[in-house]
Amino acid sequence: MSEVFVNQLQDVQNRLVEIAGSVTTIMDKASRAFLTSDVALADEAIALAEANENRALALDETVIKVLAKQSPVARDLRVLVSALRISASLERMGALAGHIAAIARYRFPGSAVPSSLHATFAEMGKLDVELGRKVTALLGNTDLDTARQIQAEDARVDELHRHVFSVVLGDDWKENAMYTVDVTLASRYHERFADHVVDISTKVSYLTTG
């Protein structure tokens, strides 16, 4: 394998790690903006989400050029194809976090989440940020224990997502339609963010174990 190709593969990995770190930052800012009605944080998250999309597109172009010029085979080919798919998941994660920030932005100066669900969304946001950090570490240094931890934490996010729907559909829910729409969408965005992390961890595990 040529030194140039080795460096290109390393560059792809480094850029995936960078994008994953950015996605985690976006979710952290978006979640806090959603919980606290901090419009400045919401704007930062939205801007970062747009920049993240450009990074993912630039990485995809790089991978396609490497595929065309180097004609990799076997594991190297799987690594590059997986990089394209992981990049797509990371781009989507950034967009989902941006959507959460947008809800906070639209509802400012009011709150996007009622007090009855504040603790639920606080936990969902915390778990998503932790998942983002874990998948960033996983992309930098493959560890199967980290992949298993990711899957366990995703199960808790799913549980919280179902809880939001049970509350909204319950007889005690008296909030207006705006709140109903906001929390339903935000819960779905949190849940899908975690799902993409699991999807990435599965791809990394496959590349490691075959």
Side-chain angles (χ1 to χ4, degrees), residues 47-96:
L48 286 172
E50 293 174 356
N52 184 72
E53 181 179 358
N54 292 330
R55 282 199 196 95
L57 290 173
L59 175 58
D60 291 349
E61 291 175 0
T62 296
V63 172
I64 291 169
K65 288 178 182 177
V66 174
L67 286 168
K69 292 180 178 180
Q70 300 292 347
S71 300
V73 296
R75 188 179 188 279
D76 295 331
L77 177 59
R78 292 196 298 273
V79 167
L80 289 168
V81 172
S82 293
L84 287 172
R85 294 174 177 172
I86 291 170
S87 172
S89 286
L90 291 171
E91 186 277 326
R92 189 60 191 149
M93 287 164 63
L96 290 165

Side-chain angles (χ1 to χ4, degrees), residues 5-80:
F5 186 36
V6 171
N7 290 337
Q8 288 173 330
L9 289 176
Q10 186 61 56
D11 178 56
V12 168
Q13 180 182 13
N14 291 343
R15 289 166 71 174
L16 284 173
V17 171
E18 179 185 356
I19 295 170
S22 174
V23 163
T24 304
T25 299
I26 297 166
M27 175 53 80
D28 179 48
K29 291 179 180 291
S31 176
R32 288 190 285 132
F34 184 73
L35 292 167
T36 64
S37 302
D38 188 324
V39 71
L41 270 179
D43 286 341
E44 289 175 20
I46 292 167
L48 286 172
E50 293 174 356
N52 184 72
E53 181 179 358
N54 292 330
R55 282 199 196 95
L57 290 173
L59 175 58
D60 291 349
E61 291 175 0
T62 296
V63 172
I64 291 169
K65 288 178 182 177
V66 174
L67 286 168
K69 292 180 178 180
Q70 300 292 347
S71 300
V73 296
R75 188 179 188 279
D76 295 331
L77 177 59
R78 292 196 298 273
V79 167
L80 289 168

Side-chain angles (χ1 to χ4, degrees), residues 11-191:
D11 178 56
V12 168
Q13 180 182 13
N14 291 343
R15 289 166 71 174
L16 284 173
V17 171
E18 179 185 356
I19 295 170
S22 174
V23 163
T24 304
T25 299
I26 297 166
M27 175 53 80
D28 179 48
K29 291 179 180 291
S31 176
R32 288 190 285 132
F34 184 73
L35 292 167
T36 64
S37 302
D38 188 324
V39 71
L41 270 179
D43 286 341
E44 289 175 20
I46 292 167
L48 286 172
E50 293 174 356
N52 184 72
E53 181 179 358
N54 292 330
R55 282 199 196 95
L57 290 173
L59 175 58
D60 291 349
E61 291 175 0
T62 296
V63 172
I64 291 169
K65 288 178 182 177
V66 174
L67 286 168
K69 292 180 178 180
Q70 300 292 347
S71 300
V73 296
R75 188 179 188 279
D76 295 331
L77 177 59
R78 292 196 298 273
V79 167
L80 289 168
V81 172
S82 293
L84 287 172
R85 294 174 177 172
I86 291 170
S87 172
S89 286
L90 291 171
E91 186 277 326
R92 189 60 191 149
M93 287 164 63
L96 290 165
H99 293 337
I100 294 169
I103 294 174
R105 185 70 180 86
Y106 295 152
R107 300 308 172 209
F108 180 79
S111 172
V113 55
S115 58
S116 59
L117 285 171
H118 192 278
T120 300
F121 278 102
E123 185 177 355
M124 289 179 81
K126 180 181 178 181
L127 286 171
D128 275 352
V129 171
E130 289 175 355
L131 284 166
R133 288 172 179 156
K134 282 184 169 64
V135 83
T136 302
L138 184 65
L139 289 168
N141 185 18
T142 304
D143 181 87
L144 294 180
D145 287 337
T146 300
R148 285 189 283 269
Q149 291 172 13
I150 284 172
Q151 291 165 11
E153 290 183 12
D154 172 65
R156 177 56 180 162
V157 176
D158 289 341
E159 182 181 338
L160 292 167
H161 178 54
R162 290 192 295 270
H163 173 70
V164 170
F165 273 76
S166 68
V167 170
V168 170
L169 296 174
D171 294 335
D172 293 334
W173 180 255
K174 306 299 182 185
E175 306 294 346
N176 61 34
M178 181 189 74
Y179 268 138
T180 301
V181 172
D182 285 350
V183 300
T184 300
L185 288 174
S187 181
R188 178 61 173 165
Y189 297 150
H190 279 94
E191 186 261 346

